[in-house]
Amino acid sequence: LIIDLDIERPKIHTIYNVDNKTSVTNILNNKIINPIKVKDGLSILPASEYPYPARFLKDERLHKLIKDSAEKYDYVLVNIPTLDYYAPILFNFGLIDVLLINTSFGATEMKTLDNYIANIDDEHTDKLFLNAIDSRVKKDYSKIIDRIKGVFKRNKNVEDK
């Protein structure tokens, strides 16, 4: 499941060519929303623009949606923008296990990235993965995939105890 939480510039619905009239922000109106199946093994919850993102990220209805989704799906990927407060809010409420930042050397200013990472509490930095891509080089992603699997395995072992 992919949940689009980029409510300032939602994009997931355009990538998968679906309507976002029923979006993740509809939970604020106490509407039941259902993921849209885009193909076997992949469903999405699209976003629509909402003027108060920090308020939305702190809303208990969103927290319940993410936690319930985590029980129903093998993997829940949450799309968030590189803005200072998104990841810290989600980490503080225990709504994400891992933060993967995909960037390229040419497109992202390092100062912006440094500011973003500086807002993530030290207790969560071991769950932060930076995937900086130089488009001129082919990259082997197996090491980062193994590290992410390790985080999920550690979390599962803690939950089992």
Side-chain angles (χ1 to χ4, degrees):
L1 175 67
I2 298 174
I3 301 175
D4 192 0
L5 289 184
D6 187 350
I7 54 180
E8 294 177 65
R9 286 177 226 75
K11 295 176 194 77
I12 296 297
H13 70 284
T14 59
I15 292 170
Y16 291 101
N17 196 28
V18 298
D19 190 8
N20 70 339
K21 285 182 186 173
T22 301
S23 83
V24 70
T25 55
N26 291 129
I27 62 171
L28 297 174
N29 298 323
N30 295 317
K31 290 185 179 178
I32 296 173
I33 58 169
N34 294 308
I36 300 167
K37 183 176 178 179
V38 293
K39 60 180 170 177
D40 284 343
L42 179 62
S43 296
I44 65 168
L45 282 173
S48 56
E49 289 185 23
Y50 184 72
Y52 310 107
R55 185 182 307 162
F56 178 66
L57 294 172
K58 294 176 183 178
D59 193 284
E60 192 58 41
R61 292 167 288 193
L62 175 64
H63 302 181
K64 182 176 178 357
L65 173 73
I66 292 173
K67 289 175 182 178
D68 289 350
S69 297
E71 292 178 9
K72 294 177 187 172
Y73 291 88
D74 292 330
Y75 299 98
V76 177
L77 307 174
V78 181
N79 179 51
I80 57 175
T82 310
L83 294 175
D84 297 342
Y85 55 86
Y86 274 72
I89 288 173
L90 295 173
F91 271 132
N92 288 339
F93 285 104
L95 299 174
I96 57 176
D97 295 316
V98 173
L99 177 63
L100 173 62
I101 300 173
N102 286 312
T103 187
S104 65
F105 292 116
T108 304
E109 292 182 22
M110 292 314 291
K111 184 176 180 180
T112 302
L113 192 56
D114 287 343
N115 288 338
Y116 186 71
I117 292 170
N119 280 299
I120 297 172
D121 294 339
D122 288 340
E123 66 190 79
H124 300 300
T125 56
D126 65 329
K127 302 172 190 172
L128 173 66
F129 298 91
L130 178 61
N131 186 29
I133 300 168
D134 182 345
S135 61
R136 300 168 297 177
V137 177
K138 298 258 186 235
K139 190 165 183 172
D140 176 13
Y141 295 100
S142 60
K143 289 181 183 178
I144 195 166
I145 290 169
D146 289 343
R147 285 191 62 206
I148 291 171
K149 285 180 181 177
V151 169
F152 283 116
K153 189 173 184 177
R154 283 194 308 270
N155 287 345
K156 176 98 172 104
N157 289 340
V158 169
E159 290 173 8
D160 290 344
K161 294 180 182 178

